[in-house]
Amino acid sequence: MTIIISEEELRQTTVDAFRKSGLSKEIAADIADVLVHANLRGVDSHGVMRVEHYIKRIKEGGINPNANPSTVQSSASTLIMDGDNGFGHYISKQAMTEAINLAKMSGMSAIAVKNSSHCGALSYFVEQAASANLIGIAMSHTDKIVVPFGGSEPFFGTNPIAFGFPAQSEEHVILDFATSNVALGKILNAREYGDAIPDTWGVDAEGKPTTNPENVSFLSPFGGPKGYGLAMVVEIFSALLTGAAFGPHVSKMYGDYNKNRELGHFFMAIDPSIFTGLDSFTSRLDQMIQELHQVTPAEGAERVLVPGEIETQTALKRKKEGIPLPDQVWASLKG
């Protein structure tokens, strides 16, 4: 059964759930903000359905609930951040805030994060940058679940990457995607709702495609060798460049609940004004978006959309009408 909850009530209930588990008001609010952002955009797999899991990790010692991230400035435009094994949402929001501040001063910035944990939807952090009139780039890795192209066992995680671009009168362009065919969270969401899935989403323990989300053991990279190659690039930025563990050496998200994830993330911010000028960039992006909307649609399509447009439309609708949640997720949140 699905129920409808307002954005405000969902955010406050999520904060309350984390506060009961010993988190400070600031950390709980930041995590809730990232999670509700995902629910608003229709990316429910990265929303509040994850709260129960996070609280389990707190109880078993796998997350430092009141971490104090620290930074070392490695150059005029770069920082290395140690997340103190805290919540990735809180750590990543701080990291992108630092990236924005540095980019405002230096034109470009890069932040390498280590000793973090799952950070939720990367779209939140690149939207931070876009809202500050900067281009944002974010990437992260996770434990092995994706079979590399040509392989029969997993090596990399879903390894998402995201980009955010500020527009002038149009909505920001936000592109956020996993390098697997789908993010694991979509499989978990299908399990929550009891839905069947396309047979291209995942394979069972024997490597055979399945439409039953309960039987999914591993995922496949999108686009075969292209997705696999991009997953490796994300791993290099998120793990090798940050000093985090890589591939099969990363502790499990679902399992190893008493172990710190020690994940790495990588963030960049770029000020368009140092190249072509902010007004020129944003107005030309508006023009690009408008011309894409004017492209003759294919049969069955209403019009051509730009990355993130569906999610933006969903967020506007859910802000007005409320956010649908499985009743068991809501019951778990309320404790």
Side-chain angles (χ1 to χ4, degrees):
M1 178 179 174
T2 300
I3 58 175
I4 305 298
I5 309 296
S6 72
E7 174 188 358
E8 294 76 16
E9 186 176 8
L10 183 58
R11 180 176 282 105
Q12 187 58 56
T13 303
T14 303
V15 169
D16 292 343
F18 283 121
R19 293 283 280 146
K20 290 175 187 176
S21 295
L23 273 69
S24 70
K25 185 177 180 179
E26 179 188 8
I27 294 175
D30 280 350
I31 301 168
D33 207 32
V34 177
L35 296 179
V36 174
H37 158 90
N39 282 116
L40 281 171
R41 290 170 62 82
V43 190
D44 299 305
S45 58
H46 285 60
V48 299
M49 66 169 286
R50 302 265 184 151
V51 172
E52 185 176 11
H53 163 78
Y54 296 138
I55 290 175
K56 179 179 176 66
R57 294 199 72 90
I58 293 172
K59 290 178 178 178
E60 299 201 18
I63 293 181
N64 180 357
N66 288 298
N68 184 25
S70 59
T71 58
V72 173
Q73 187 152 7
S74 51
S75 79
S77 59
T78 60
L79 289 175
I80 300 169
M81 177 176 284
D82 188 321
D84 194 24
N85 294 310
F87 273 89
H89 318 72
Y90 173 69
I91 295 163
S92 295
K93 185 175 181 179
Q94 285 201 20
M96 183 54 87
T97 299
E98 294 279 11
I100 289 167
N101 292 338
L102 279 178
K104 290 287 186 180
M105 292 186 292
S106 302
M108 299 177 68
S109 65
I111 314 293
V113 177
K114 61 182 179 180
N115 292 326
S116 185
S117 62
H118 186 254
C119 64
L122 293 181
S123 56
Y124 181 92
F125 311 110
V126 297
E127 195 169 82
Q128 269 186 269
S131 295
N133 286 321
L134 302 175
I135 295 168
I137 302 172
M139 58 192 86
S140 183
H141 66 144
T142 187
D143 52 295
K144 65 175 184 177
I145 194 171
V146 180
V147 176
F149 182 72
S152 60
E153 60 185 61
F155 191 95
F156 294 129
T158 52
N159 290 17
I161 185 169
F163 303 86
F165 301 94
Q168 195 167 96
S169 60
E170 299 289 339
E171 297 290 341
H172 304 318
V173 175
I174 306 293
L175 176 62
D176 178 5
F177 62 97
T179 51
S180 55
N181 269 330
V182 294
L184 176 60
K186 288 194 174 183
I187 304 290
L188 301 178
N189 202 48
R191 290 177 184 173
E192 193 75 50
Y193 280 95
D195 294 336
I197 59 173
D199 64 4
T200 56
W201 281 17
V203 297
D204 61 21
E206 297 178 353
K208 297 178 181 178
T210 178
T211 59
N212 185 346
E214 298 291 343
N215 294 338
V216 172
S217 295
F218 313 126
L219 305 176
S220 300
F222 80 85
K226 295 180 181 180
Y228 160 55
L230 188 54
M232 185 172 179
V233 168
V234 171
E235 194 80 18
I236 290 169
F237 273 100
S238 301
L240 302 189
L241 202 58
T242 64
F246 69 87
H249 306 287
V250 178
S251 62
K252 295 178 182 178
M253 181 170 183
Y254 292 92
D256 296 334
Y257 291 102
N258 62 333
K259 296 181 181 179
N260 295 136
R261 300 295 311 286
E262 298 181 354
L263 294 181
H265 319 303
F266 190 79
F267 301 96
M268 290 189 71
I270 302 169
D271 187 348
S273 67
I274 66 171
F275 294 101
T276 185
L278 179 61
D279 286 345
S280 174
F281 177 83
T282 56
S283 63
R284 281 163 54 81
L285 181 54
D286 279 357
Q287 180 184 352
M288 177 186 287
I289 293 168
Q290 291 157 7
E291 290 185 8
L292 280 166
H293 285 164
Q294 293 167 10
V295 171
T296 303
E299 185 177 352
E302 184 176 338
R303 70 169 183 172
V304 173
L305 301 176
V306 298
E309 191 167 356
I310 291 174
E311 290 83 358
T312 297
Q313 292 171 351
T314 299
L316 292 173
K317 184 173 187 290
R318 290 188 173 188
K319 279 178 176 289
K320 181 179 179 180
E321 300 177 3
I323 299 169
L325 283 182
D327 55 358
Q328 61 267 38
V329 172
W330 180 239
S332 174
L333 268 181
K334 296 190 75 174

